[in-house]
Amino acid sequence: MSVTARMDKVVDHFVRRGRWWHEPLNAGRARMFAMQHRLNTRQRNSVLKLKVATNCTDWDTRMNILKACSEEVIADHEHGGGRPHWAILEDLGVRIGLKRAELQNARPLPSTQLAWNAWEGLMASKHWLEGIVANTCAERVNVPGYGSGEFKKRGWFGVERERWRKLFKLNDEELDFFELHTEADLEHSDMGWRAVEKFAKELHMEDAVVTACERNLYVWEHYLNGIADAGDAYGRRK
């Protein structure tokens, strides 16, 4: 079995066990996701992923990492109409009932902060090939083909878009965050998978990159579970 096929199995297992997509979405969880994922998008793409780019010895891969980070935090002209992804998510948060100041003044949950601390170790102090897996393994979940049913057909944000549509009565244009991420994450995650295909065997790192995928997805699971629990509590307060 190829190393990327082994990583695909890890991603599939993550999809099948994750609470976030197997439990009902409610308004509290959605609003907490908007607040925390806005922060997470900025932190991962302005700090953590840049550490991987710094360590990367392959020029083309380094430039691709920087391009993906730029789309997330500066401007995405290809998929986002020139807006960064975090700002598109901020607008979505306002549409679902959050005040813009509430989004802009949000602080990371303890679970989010712990995830950042874990990713610091998994991205900054590891070989760049392990780091690029950390960059892209969760984006892979947005690519159709993992899990079962509608998730396998549409990918995470394809399913998530429909859940938010039903919950908040939004139209396609108002849900553009999920649409652009489905497109952008296919491109971003393919970059990571292609790098693994190109370099893992040469560097004798097949087992290391699969382990990196497993460890990073456990961190993502902790991050999403923290949002779910805090979102339920947030909803009870409102």
Side-chain angles (χ1 to χ4, degrees), residues 18 51 84 93-94 115-116 118 120 128 132 134 142-143 147-148 151 166 170 181 210 237-238:
K51 295 178 184 292
V94 172
W116 291 350
E120 178 80 22
W128 69 265
I132 202 170
N142 286 332
V143 178
S148 61
F151 202 109
K166 292 176 182 177
L170 300 175
H181 259 278
V210 174
R237 294 196 301 269
K238 291 296 180 177

Side-chain angles (χ1 to χ4, degrees), residues 76 78-80 85 88 92 142 154 156-162 165 171-186:
D76 183 350
E78 185 173 355
H79 306 291
H85 294 187
I88 296 170
L92 177 58
N142 286 332
R154 299 174 181 270
W156 175 19
F157 276 5
V159 170
E160 201 73 6
R161 183 173 62 247
E162 294 307 310
R165 184 198 309 277
N171 60 39
D172 285 341
E173 185 177 350
E174 292 170 320
L175 291 161
D176 56 351
F177 173 78
F178 297 116
E179 182 68 30
L180 78 91
H181 259 278
T182 299
E183 297 170 353
D185 285 350
L186 174 59

Side-chain angles (χ1 to χ4, degrees), residues 16-198:
R16 292 177 186 275
R17 73 172 185 261
R19 281 178 53 200
W20 180 265
W21 28 80
H22 295 299
E23 294 178 357
L25 181 70
N26 57 48
R29 289 188 179 196
R31 288 166 182 153
M32 188 58 63
F33 178 86
M35 288 188 283
Q36 293 299 302
H37 206 59
R38 175 186 175 278
L39 290 172
N40 193 39
T41 298
R42 288 157 62 108
Q43 177 73 7
R44 282 180 58 83
N45 289 282
S46 68
V47 178
L48 297 170
K49 292 183 181 180
L50 297 184
K51 295 178 184 292
V52 178
T54 298
N55 293 335
C56 183
T57 57
D58 181 70
W59 179 259
D60 290 339
T61 303
R62 180 186 292 181
M63 291 299 101
N64 285 333
I65 294 170
L66 295 176
K67 175 179 179 290
C69 290
S70 175
E71 290 175 353
E72 296 277 1
V73 297
I74 300 174
D76 183 350
H77 295 286
E78 185 173 355
H79 306 291
R83 296 176 296 162
H85 294 187
W86 64 264
I88 296 170
L89 180 55
E90 182 179 302
D91 289 343
L92 177 58
V94 172
R95 291 186 196 112
I96 64 171
L98 291 165
K99 292 182 172 60
R100 195 169 296 275
E102 193 172 10
L103 285 149
Q104 294 175 345
N105 295 327
R107 294 293 179 264
L109 297 167
S111 50
T112 298
Q113 185 65 60
L114 185 58
W116 291 350
N117 294 346
W119 282 320
E120 178 80 22
L122 291 166
M123 298 168 82
S125 61
K126 294 290 186 180
H127 189 279
W128 69 265
L129 194 59
E130 295 169 279
I132 202 170
V133 172
N135 281 11
T136 58
C137 62
E139 294 172 329
R140 198 70 185 170
V141 179
N142 286 332
V143 178
Y146 301 101
S148 61
E150 285 299 302
F151 202 109
K152 186 171 185 177
K153 180 180 178 181
R154 299 174 181 270
W156 175 19
F157 276 5
V159 170
E160 201 73 6
R161 183 173 62 247
E162 294 307 310
R163 297 209 298 172
W164 288 52
R165 184 198 309 277
K166 292 176 182 177
L167 183 61
F168 296 107
K169 311 302 182 191
L170 300 175
N171 60 39
D172 285 341
E173 185 177 350
E174 292 170 320
L175 291 161
D176 56 351
F177 173 78
F178 297 116
E179 182 68 30
L180 78 91
H181 259 278
T182 299
E183 297 170 353
D185 285 350
L186 174 59
E187 177 184 329
H188 295 174
S189 66
D190 274 352
M191 172 185 65
W193 259 233
R194 287 195 304 269
V196 167
E197 287 176 341
K198 184 175 181 180

